[in-house]
Amino acid sequence: MYILPKRSHVMYALEPYMEAQNLEIHDRLHEEETERLNQLVEIQHRGDMRYLEEVLRRISQHNAAWRHYAGSYFNHALFRSTLAPNAQLIAEGELAELIKRYFGDLSALKDLMMRQAMQWHGSGWVWLLLRYNGTLAVSVTPNNDNPLMDITWVSQGYPILGIDLWEHAYYLQYRDKKADYLKAIWSVLDWHAVAENYQKAKHKIDSWNRAAI
């Protein structure tokens, strides 16, 4: 079965940046959506992330329910993996060098993601992704879409960091102050986890590019 990854910390560990009550309601909603995904997937494929990735890469061949629930599961699993109470707040190593090359520095990357997120009206996600040509990019997608999907025409690739822009992610705590929520995220965003996601993305893209030759 697909199961949302368990948090490595108790709910209140991310306070005051993300309140426990808000996280609990958010998690409950996406546990329900994960169950809907399990109902769509044939038994032999349930829980298989490689299968899910291939579905997302060919989402144009599936209906709206697949697009919503498969996207929701992948996006929230990624989001949860990057939040930690004792987060490493600075990117290091290879990922830091790439951020410097494509954005100038980490502060400039945060500013870019903040601007794109604030300019977006409605539900969605803002992403840092590794594109198929090995470059980093920032993009925003609507609803539960993500850069893996073949219907995403701007900056396709493998996402390594995603921030939830749905109102249910922050409204209980921050009300209509989306900017305050986005600023708070950086205090619990673990760049060590993002670097691990980058290495995973690199391996995935290398294998997909080789298969396409």
Side-chain angles (χ1 to χ4, degrees), residues 60-148:
S60 61
Q61 300 173 21
H62 298 270
N63 63 27
W66 276 95
R67 180 175 173 179
H68 179 84
Y69 295 115
S72 174
Y73 178 81
F74 181 93
N75 297 356
H76 285 92
L78 182 71
F79 186 44
R80 288 167 70 123
S81 78
T82 59
L83 302 178
N86 299 308
Q88 178 180 302
L89 301 181
I90 299 175
E92 297 178 344
E94 185 179 355
L95 178 58
E97 289 300 315
L98 284 178
I99 290 172
K100 182 178 180 180
R101 181 185 307 171
Y102 295 113
F103 305 105
D105 58 25
L106 185 58
S107 179
L109 170 61
K110 291 179 181 179
D111 288 345
L112 176 60
M113 294 185 74
M114 286 279 293
R115 288 198 307 273
Q116 292 208 17
M118 289 303 297
Q119 290 167 6
W120 184 261
H121 300 288
S123 303
W125 293 76
V126 60
W127 304 99
L128 174 64
L129 65 135
L130 182 66
R131 293 194 290 194
Y132 290 106
N133 62 4
T135 63
L136 292 180
V138 169
S139 69
V140 182
T141 57
N143 302 318
N144 280 319
D145 290 359
N146 65 52
L148 272 176

Side-chain angles (χ1 to χ4, degrees), residues 5-11 13-14 80-81 83-86 190:
K6 290 185 178 179
R7 297 187 185 277
S8 59
H9 51 80
V10 293
M11 287 287 189
L14 299 183
R80 288 167 70 123
S81 78
L83 302 178
N86 299 308
D190 186 7

Side-chain angles (χ1 to χ4, degrees), residues 152-194:
T152 304
W153 296 110
V154 178
S155 295
Q156 283 190 10
Y158 202 104
I160 63 175
L161 164 61
I163 298 176
D164 194 342
L165 301 182
W166 286 67
E167 281 194 344
H168 64 239
Y170 63 87
Y171 197 84
L172 181 65
Q173 180 176 357
Y174 290 99
R175 298 296 187 264
D176 60 344
K177 296 180 174 63
K178 184 168 74 170
D180 289 350
Y181 159 72
L182 293 168
K183 290 174 185 175
I185 286 289
W186 302 118
S187 296
V188 290
L189 196 287
D190 186 7
W191 285 96
H192 175 73
V194 180

